[in-house]
Amino acid sequence: MNKVRQPKYQQIAILIAENIVRNELKVGQKIYARSTLATTFGVSPETARKAISILSDLGIVDSIHGSGVVIASRQKAQDYLAQHQEIKTIQDLQADILKSVARQQKELANFSSTLDKLVGQTAHFQKSNPMTPIELELNEPSENLGKTIGEMNLWQNTGVTVIAILQNDELVISPGPYATLNQHDTLYFVGGADALQVLQNFFYKN
């Protein structure tokens, strides 16, 4: 992001005001002719004229015809610098906010990309490892609990195959259709990519 730059004539006006506030230029003192000012700051006479015009409009200097430019007010120079600092602070805050938004957008894009990769890798893993068991804890009551696997037609209704049940800290391998499923049991099963969601819906429809 490009930094906002002030016009050259405004930069010169600020430098002159700073010299006034530091008493390097005192009230009543004449300052350089515009041509000399232009040479000092390496700008055109027109740019120097614009800088003096700003200070004159604010009452910091007086442009007296035939006498040149005279320092008029140190207080107004201080007020001008204070106002300039407030504007600069606001611009800096705006720049910081825009940088923060851009950074967050970049981080969000990276997060989205990483999430897509994770989903893809998970799907690939499930596809390449279809026999990896999935776990479901039956901690909530369900109208289907208290029945045997055969009575609830579990495979016909969900397409999953139960390979083990953890009941009362005892692991039952290959339980078969006559095993009863109770609350607080843990099922270990295999199935398709959406098997867990299907089984959760089967036991906990609501």
Side-chain angles (χ1 to χ4, degrees), residues 1-4 91-107:
M1 181 181 299
N2 295 329
K3 189 174 181 179
V4 177
Q91 289 175 338
D92 289 343
L93 288 173
Q94 288 175 333
D96 289 343
I97 290 172
L98 291 175
K99 288 179 182 178
S100 178
V101 170
R103 184 169 60 252
Q104 291 178 15
Q105 288 176 336
K106 183 177 180 181
E107 291 173 353

PDB file of all heavy atoms in Angstrom, residues 1-4 91-107:
ATOM      1  N   MET A   1       0.842  -1.179   0.000  1.00  0.00           N
ATOM      2  CA  MET A   1       0.000   0.000   0.000  1.00  0.00           C
ATOM      3  C   MET A   1       0.885   1.238   0.000  1.00  0.00           C
ATOM      4  O   MET A   1       1.795   1.364   0.822  1.00  0.00           O
ATOM      5  CB  MET A   1      -0.891   0.002   1.251  1.00  0.00           C
ATOM      6  CG  MET A   1      -1.833   1.185   1.328  1.00  0.00           C
ATOM      7  SD  MET A   1      -2.800   1.099   2.843  1.00  0.00           S
ATOM      8  CE  MET A   1      -3.656  -0.450   2.599  1.00  0.00           C
ATOM      9  N   ASN A   2       0.654   2.164  -0.900  1.00  0.00           N
ATOM     10  CA  ASN A   2       1.451   3.373  -0.997  1.00  0.00           C
ATOM     11  C   ASN A   2       1.100   4.330   0.127  1.00  0.00           C
ATOM     12  O   ASN A   2      -0.058   4.511   0.479  1.00  0.00           O
ATOM     13  CB  ASN A   2       1.226   4.059  -2.347  1.00  0.00           C
ATOM     14  CG  ASN A   2       1.728   3.215  -3.496  1.00  0.00           C
ATOM     15  OD1 ASN A   2       2.692   2.478  -3.331  1.00  0.00           O
ATOM     16  ND2 ASN A   2       1.098   3.320  -4.643  1.00  0.00           N
ATOM     17  N   LYS A   3       2.123   4.971   0.677  1.00  0.00           N
ATOM     18  CA  LYS A   3       1.916   5.939   1.739  1.00  0.00           C
ATOM     19  C   LYS A   3       1.475   7.267   1.134  1.00  0.00           C
ATOM     20  O   LYS A   3       1.999   7.699   0.121  1.00  0.00           O
ATOM     21  CB  LYS A   3       3.217   6.123   2.525  1.00  0.00           C
ATOM     22  CG  LYS A   3       3.049   6.946   3.794  1.00  0.00           C
ATOM     23  CD  LYS A   3       4.335   6.966   4.576  1.00  0.00           C
ATOM     24  CE  LYS A   3       4.162   7.760   5.866  1.00  0.00           C
ATOM     25  NZ  LYS A   3       5.390   7.773   6.670  1.00  0.00           N
ATOM     26  N   VAL A   4       0.485   7.902   1.781  1.00  0.00           N
ATOM     27  CA  VAL A   4      -0.009   9.183   1.300  1.00  0.00           C
ATOM     28  C   VAL A   4       1.059  10.244   1.545  1.00  0.00           C
ATOM     29  O   VAL A   4       1.579  10.373   2.655  1.00  0.00           O
ATOM     30  CB  VAL A   4      -1.321   9.580   2.012  1.00  0.00           C
ATOM     31  CG1 VAL A   4      -1.771  10.948   1.558  1.00  0.00           C
ATOM     32  CG2 VAL A   4      -2.392   8.531   1.755  1.00  0.00           C
ATOM     33  N   GLN A  91      -4.842   9.858   9.422  1.00  0.00           N
ATOM     34  CA  GLN A  91      -4.398   9.190   8.189  1.00  0.00           C
ATOM     35  C   GLN A  91      -3.603   7.932   8.517  1.00  0.00           C
ATOM     36  O   GLN A  91      -3.759   6.898   7.860  1.00  0.00           O
ATOM     37  CB  GLN A  91      -3.552  10.151   7.357  1.00  0.00           C
ATOM     38  CG  GLN A  91      -4.346  11.281   6.721  1.00  0.00           C
ATOM     39  CD  GLN A  91      -3.472  12.279   5.996  1.00  0.00           C
ATOM     40  OE1 GLN A  91      -2.273  12.393   6.276  1.00  0.00           O
ATOM     41  NE2 GLN A  91      -4.055  13.004   5.051  1.00  0.00           N
ATOM     42  N   ASP A  92      -2.764   8.025   9.559  1.00  0.00           N
ATOM     43  CA  ASP A  92      -1.975   6.855   9.964  1.00  0.00           C
ATOM     44  C   ASP A  92      -2.883   5.736  10.468  1.00  0.00           C
ATOM     45  O   ASP A  92      -2.668   4.554  10.171  1.00  0.00           O
ATOM     46  CB  ASP A  92      -0.968   7.235  11.054  1.00  0.00           C
ATOM     47  CG  ASP A  92       0.171   8.100  10.524  1.00  0.00           C
ATOM     48  OD1 ASP A  92       0.356   8.127   9.282  1.00  0.00           O
ATOM     49  OD2 ASP A  92       0.872   8.732  11.335  1.00  0.00           O
ATOM     50  N   LEU A  93      -3.921   6.118  11.252  1.00  0.00           N
ATOM     51  CA  LEU A  93      -4.862   5.114  11.753  1.00  0.00           C
ATOM     52  C   LEU A  93      -5.621   4.469  10.605  1.00  0.00           C
ATOM     53  O   LEU A  93      -5.838   3.239  10.596  1.00  0.00           O
ATOM     54  CB  LEU A  93      -5.843   5.766  12.731  1.00  0.00           C
ATOM     55  CG  LEU A  93      -5.275   6.168  14.102  1.00  0.00           C
ATOM     56  CD1 LEU A  93      -6.312   6.947  14.896  1.00  0.00           C
ATOM     57  CD2 LEU A  93      -4.838   4.931  14.884  1.00  0.00           C
ATOM     58  N   GLN A  94      -6.033   5.266   9.639  1.00  0.00           N
ATOM     59  CA  GLN A  94      -6.737   4.727   8.473  1.00  0.00           C
ATOM     60  C   GLN A  94      -5.840   3.755   7.714  1.00  0.00           C
ATOM     61  O   GLN A  94      -6.285   2.680   7.291  1.00  0.00           O
ATOM     62  CB  GLN A  94      -7.182   5.862   7.552  1.00  0.00           C
ATOM     63  CG  GLN A  94      -8.326   6.694   8.105  1.00  0.00           C
ATOM     64  CD  GLN A  94      -8.663   7.887   7.221  1.00  0.00           C
ATOM     65  OE1 GLN A  94      -7.812   8.402   6.507  1.00  0.00           O
ATOM     66  NE2 GLN A  94      -9.908   8.330   7.268  1.00  0.00           N
ATOM     67  N   ALA A  95      -4.567   4.138   7.559  1.00  0.00           N
ATOM     68  CA  ALA A  95      -3.623   3.258   6.865  1.00  0.00           C
ATOM     69  C   ALA A  95      -3.430   1.958   7.629  1.00  0.00           C
ATOM     70  O   ALA A  95      -3.377   0.871   7.037  1.00  0.00           O
ATOM     71  CB  ALA A  95      -2.281   3.972   6.678  1.00  0.00           C
ATOM     72  N   ASP A  96      -3.345   2.048   8.973  1.00  0.00           N
ATOM     73  CA  ASP A  96      -3.179   0.849   9.799  1.00  0.00           C
ATOM     74  C   ASP A  96      -4.396  -0.069   9.680  1.00  0.00           C
ATOM     75  O   ASP A  96      -4.260  -1.294   9.618  1.00  0.00           O
ATOM     76  CB  ASP A  96      -2.966   1.237  11.271  1.00  0.00           C
ATOM     77  CG  ASP A  96      -1.601   1.864  11.516  1.00  0.00           C
ATOM     78  OD1 ASP A  96      -0.710   1.701  10.645  1.00  0.00           O
ATOM     79  OD2 ASP A  96      -1.425   2.517  12.562  1.00  0.00           O
ATOM     80  N   ILE A  97      -5.597   0.546   9.662  1.00  0.00           N
ATOM     81  CA  ILE A  97      -6.822  -0.257   9.538  1.00  0.00           C
ATOM     82  C   ILE A  97      -6.865  -0.973   8.198  1.00  0.00           C
ATOM     83  O   ILE A  97      -7.196  -2.165   8.113  1.00  0.00           O
ATOM     84  CB  ILE A  97      -8.060   0.643   9.713  1.00  0.00           C
ATOM     85  CG1 ILE A  97      -8.170   1.116  11.166  1.00  0.00           C
ATOM     86  CG2 ILE A  97      -9.338  -0.103   9.316  1.00  0.00           C
ATOM     87  CD1 ILE A  97      -9.244   2.166  11.388  1.00  0.00           C
ATOM     88  N   LEU A  98      -6.516  -0.254   7.133  1.00  0.00           N
ATOM     89  CA  LEU A  98      -6.524  -0.857   5.796  1.00  0.00           C
ATOM     90  C   LEU A  98      -5.501  -1.989   5.709  1.00  0.00           C
ATOM     91  O   LEU A  98      -5.763  -3.033   5.099  1.00  0.00           O
ATOM     92  CB  LEU A  98      -6.234   0.212   4.742  1.00  0.00           C
ATOM     93  CG  LEU A  98      -7.343   1.258   4.533  1.00  0.00           C
ATOM     94  CD1 LEU A  98      -6.889   2.327   3.558  1.00  0.00           C
ATOM     95  CD2 LEU A  98      -8.621   0.594   4.029  1.00  0.00           C
ATOM     96  N   LYS A  99      -4.336  -1.785   6.328  1.00  0.00           N
ATOM     97  CA  LYS A  99      -3.323  -2.847   6.339  1.00  0.00           C
ATOM     98  C   LYS A  99      -3.828  -4.062   7.106  1.00  0.00           C
ATOM     99  O   LYS A  99      -3.608  -5.203   6.699  1.00  0.00           O
ATOM    100  CB  LYS A  99      -2.030  -2.324   6.971  1.00  0.00           C
ATOM    101  CG  LYS A  99      -1.256  -1.342   6.103  1.00  0.00           C
ATOM    102  CD  LYS A  99      -0.002  -0.860   6.818  1.00  0.00           C
ATOM    103  CE  LYS A  99       0.757   0.154   5.980  1.00  0.00           C
ATOM    104  NZ  LYS A  99       1.959   0.674   6.687  1.00  0.00           N
ATOM    105  N   SER A 100      -4.501  -3.795   8.250  1.00  0.00           N
ATOM    106  CA  SER A 100      -5.038  -4.886   9.058  1.00  0.00           C
ATOM    107  C   SER A 100      -6.105  -5.667   8.297  1.00  0.00           C
ATOM    108  O   SER A 100      -6.132  -6.904   8.320  1.00  0.00           O
ATOM    109  CB  SER A 100      -5.633  -4.325  10.361  1.00  0.00           C
ATOM    110  OG  SER A 100      -6.208  -5.353  11.143  1.00  0.00           O
ATOM    111  N   VAL A 101      -6.991  -4.944   7.592  1.00  0.00           N
ATOM    112  CA  VAL A 101      -8.031  -5.604   6.792  1.00  0.00           C
ATOM    113  C   VAL A 101      -7.401  -6.455   5.696  1.00  0.00           C
ATOM    114  O   VAL A 101      -7.808  -7.600   5.476  1.00  0.00           O
ATOM    115  CB  VAL A 101      -8.982  -4.555   6.182  1.00  0.00           C
ATOM    116  CG1 VAL A 101      -9.909  -5.200   5.148  1.00  0.00           C
ATOM    117  CG2 VAL A 101      -9.815  -3.885   7.268  1.00  0.00           C
ATOM    118  N   ALA A 102      -6.390  -5.894   5.026  1.00  0.00           N
ATOM    119  CA  ALA A 102      -5.715  -6.637   3.952  1.00  0.00           C
ATOM    120  C   ALA A 102      -5.037  -7.883   4.514  1.00  0.00           C
ATOM    121  O   ALA A 102      -5.085  -8.960   3.911  1.00  0.00           O
ATOM    122  CB  ALA A 102      -4.690  -5.737   3.260  1.00  0.00           C
ATOM    123  N   ARG A 103      -4.428  -7.738   5.693  1.00  0.00           N
ATOM    124  CA  ARG A 103      -3.759  -8.881   6.318  1.00  0.00           C
ATOM    125  C   ARG A 103      -4.764  -9.960   6.710  1.00  0.00           C
ATOM    126  O   ARG A 103      -4.528 -11.156   6.514  1.00  0.00           O
ATOM    127  CB  ARG A 103      -2.975  -8.403   7.544  1.00  0.00           C
ATOM    128  CG  ARG A 103      -2.157  -9.498   8.228  1.00  0.00           C
ATOM    129  CD  ARG A 103      -1.201  -8.922   9.275  1.00  0.00           C
ATOM    130  NE  ARG A 103      -1.909  -8.205  10.319  1.00  0.00           N
ATOM    131  CZ  ARG A 103      -1.910  -6.897  10.458  1.00  0.00           C
ATOM    132  NH1 ARG A 103      -1.238  -6.136   9.609  1.00  0.00           N
ATOM    133  NH2 ARG A 103      -2.578  -6.324  11.440  1.00  0.00           N
ATOM    134  N   GLN A 104      -5.915  -9.531   7.272  1.00  0.00           N
ATOM    135  CA  GLN A 104      -6.943 -10.489   7.662  1.00  0.00           C
ATOM    136  C   GLN A 104      -7.538 -11.196   6.448  1.00  0.00           C
ATOM    137  O   GLN A 104      -7.837 -12.397   6.506  1.00  0.00           O
ATOM    138  CB  GLN A 104      -8.038  -9.776   8.451  1.00  0.00           C
ATOM    139  CG  GLN A 104      -7.591  -9.307   9.829  1.00  0.00           C
ATOM    140  CD  GLN A 104      -8.673  -8.550  10.574  1.00  0.00           C
ATOM    141  OE1 GLN A 104      -9.835  -8.598  10.197  1.00  0.00           O
ATOM    142  NE2 GLN A 104      -8.295  -7.848  11.622  1.00  0.00           N
ATOM    143  N   GLN A 105      -7.714 -10.450   5.362  1.00  0.00           N
ATOM    144  CA  GLN A 105      -8.224 -11.068   4.131  1.00  0.00           C
ATOM    145  C   GLN A 105      -7.252 -12.116   3.619  1.00  0.00           C
ATOM    146  O   GLN A 105      -7.662 -13.197   3.162  1.00  0.00           O
ATOM    147  CB  GLN A 105      -8.460  -9.993   3.072  1.00  0.00           C
ATOM    148  CG  GLN A 105      -9.658  -9.104   3.355  1.00  0.00           C
ATOM    149  CD  GLN A 105      -9.819  -7.991   2.348  1.00  0.00           C
ATOM    150  OE1 GLN A 105      -8.855  -7.570   1.698  1.00  0.00           O
ATOM    151  NE2 GLN A 105     -11.033  -7.488   2.185  1.00  0.00           N
ATOM    152  N   LYS A 106      -5.962 -11.811   3.708  1.00  0.00           N
ATOM    153  CA  LYS A 106      -4.949 -12.768   3.270  1.00  0.00           C
ATOM    154  C   LYS A 106      -4.953 -13.999   4.166  1.00  0.00           C
ATOM    155  O   LYS A 106      -4.882 -15.137   3.686  1.00  0.00           O
ATOM    156  CB  LYS A 106      -3.570 -12.107   3.288  1.00  0.00           C
ATOM    157  CG  LYS A 106      -2.457 -13.005   2.781  1.00  0.00           C
ATOM    158  CD  LYS A 106      -1.121 -12.266   2.765  1.00  0.00           C
ATOM    159  CE  LYS A 106      -0.002 -13.183   2.259  1.00  0.00           C
ATOM    160  NZ  LYS A 106       1.307 -12.476   2.259  1.00  0.00           N
ATOM    161  N   GLU A 107      -5.057 -13.767   5.493  1.00  0.00           N
ATOM    162  CA  GLU A 107      -5.094 -14.886   6.437  1.00  0.00           C
ATOM    163  C   GLU A 107      -6.345 -15.743   6.219  1.00  0.00           C
ATOM    164  O   GLU A 107      -6.290 -16.973   6.315  1.00  0.00           O
ATOM    165  CB  GLU A 107      -5.050 -14.362   7.869  1.00  0.00           C
ATOM    166  CG  GLU A 107      -3.702 -13.746   8.251  1.00  0.00           C
ATOM    167  CD  GLU A 107      -3.734 -13.089   9.619  1.00  0.00           C
ATOM    168  OE1 GLU A 107      -4.851 -13.011  10.191  1.00  0.00           O
ATOM    169  OE2 GLU A 107      -2.677 -12.667  10.103  1.00  0.00           O
TER     170      GLU A 107
END
